[in-house]
Amino acid sequence: MFGNYLIGLREGLEASLVVCILIAYLVKTGRRDALKPIWAGFGVAVGIALAFGAGLEFGSQELTFEAQELLGGSLSILAVVLVTWMVFWMRKTARHLRAELHGKLDAALATGTGALVATAFLAVGREGLETALFVWASVRASSDGSHAPLIGVVLGLLTAVLLGWLFYRGALRIDLARFFTWTGGMLVVVAAGVLAYGVHDLQEARFLGGLADKAFDVSATVPPDSWYGTLLKGVFNFQPDPTVLQVTVWALYLVPTLALFLAPIGSGPSVRVEKQKATDEKAEAGTADPAV
């Protein structure tokens, strides 16, 4: 449940920040007339994300077992690729997210209502589709027959909405760069478990071999139905009897990805120029960048 809560919180907060930045900019510049198209774009993005998630869940139920495993494994791996790209992208562009969104919004305001709807949709839609795919894969990987994984996602999203509202009202200020670094690192750990589960699905679909080659089996020590077994599966998608291929893929993904993600950003001349540019933008705007 915690792993899925983290996904809902991390992905939901990113979308909430985008919404807050766009809405605050329109209010600050006196363009409240543009709020309706912006909210319409947000609504379309959320609706499509929900429909996409529902399609994944109910559409796969009509397939044969092997087809379900093949689809589930393939989409799990795709979800890990997208989430990995997303956490690195957010780490790189978080400092300039506000300025980038303002530029797109200015261009949309000059074009018309349709452009405003499209801008809002594109700003949130990508995160929505990525979140729906990764949530589906993660819930599928950590599901124990209960509703706990899905409840965790919903609670994470609700927390993100609350935090977004508090940011907008100015009642809450945290170091978002550090927040996204820590949650992004934890998300990489969760993604490693989803990747291993996806590989197991492909093995069960007979797309990959090695299903009978177990790396270890600690089912007697860590029973899947025990509280600590459930905790390990819910947080890390831990499997007590993984295959050799699962463990290999898990390690090859987790170790280098986490090392690269947590490595300090360099302080060369180009980085110093970017930092100075960000500082100048803040000074001109007369306010701190909420994405930093």
Side-chain angles (χ1 to χ4, degrees):
M1 182 173 178
F2 175 77
N4 291 287
Y5 174 83
L6 175 64
I7 295 169
L9 175 62
R10 175 62 173 74
E11 302 301 301
L13 187 56
E14 182 179 340
S16 294
L17 286 175
V18 170
V19 173
C20 289
I21 291 171
L22 294 179
I23 297 300
Y25 183 67
L26 290 176
V27 172
K28 184 178 180 180
T29 56
R31 292 302 307 270
R32 292 179 178 271
D33 58 299
L35 289 177
K36 287 185 177 180
I38 291 295
W39 282 116
F42 293 152
V44 172
V46 171
I48 290 179
L50 290 174
F52 178 59
L56 289 174
E57 176 62 23
F58 298 108
S60 62
Q61 294 179 0
E62 302 299 323
L63 303 175
T64 63
F65 173 77
E66 289 188 355
Q68 286 184 14
E69 298 304 294
L70 180 60
L71 176 64
S74 301
L75 291 181
S76 294
I77 294 173
L78 176 61
V80 170
V81 171
L82 292 175
V83 166
T84 304
W85 172 82
M86 180 272 299
V87 295
F88 277 95
W89 175 84
M90 193 64 182
R91 180 175 181 261
K92 178 181 178 181
T93 62
R95 294 178 179 274
H96 312 293
L97 181 62
R98 180 170 175 262
E100 180 181 341
L101 289 173
H102 285 181
K104 292 180 179 179
L105 193 55
D106 284 334
L109 286 169
T111 303
T113 301
L116 288 170
V117 174
T119 298
F121 169 76
L122 293 175
V124 177
R126 176 178 58 82
E127 286 85 356
L129 292 176
E130 289 177 358
T131 301
L133 177 58
F134 193 56
V135 164
W136 178 80
S138 181
V139 169
R140 187 172 182 273
S142 60
S143 179
D144 56 359
S146 70
H147 297 293
L150 188 57
I151 292 174
V153 173
V154 173
L155 290 177
L157 291 172
L158 291 176
T159 303
V161 171
L162 176 61
L163 290 176
W165 181 79
L166 291 175
F167 286 138
Y168 178 77
R169 302 298 300 179
L172 180 64
R173 290 187 181 277
I174 63 174
D175 187 339
L176 289 178
R178 181 173 298 178
F179 173 85
F180 280 122
T181 297
W182 281 102
T183 56
M186 289 187 286
L187 204 57
V188 169
V189 176
V190 174
V194 173
L195 178 61
Y197 189 87
V199 169
H200 185 264
D201 278 351
L202 294 181
Q203 290 179 307
E204 288 194 324
R206 299 181 182 178
F207 183 80
L208 296 176
L211 183 61
D213 300 328
K214 301 297 183 181
F216 54 82
D217 189 347
V218 293
S219 300
T221 306
V222 187
D225 57 350
S226 64
W227 69 267
Y228 45 92
T230 302
L231 179 64
L232 288 173
K233 184 171 180 60
V235 177
F236 303 109
N237 288 312
F238 174 78
Q239 183 178 334
D241 57 343
T243 64
V244 173
L245 183 58
Q246 279 184 275
V247 173
T248 302
V249 170
W250 179 86
L252 289 176
Y253 168 82
L254 180 63
V255 175
T257 303
L258 199 57
L260 287 172
F261 182 76
L262 296 179
I265 300 176
S267 57
S270 61
V271 174
R272 288 195 294 270
V273 169
E274 291 296 325
K275 288 182 177 179
Q276 183 61 45
K277 181 180 178 181
T279 301
D280 293 341
E281 289 174 352
K282 293 178 191 178
E284 292 176 1
T287 182
D289 192 338
V292 177

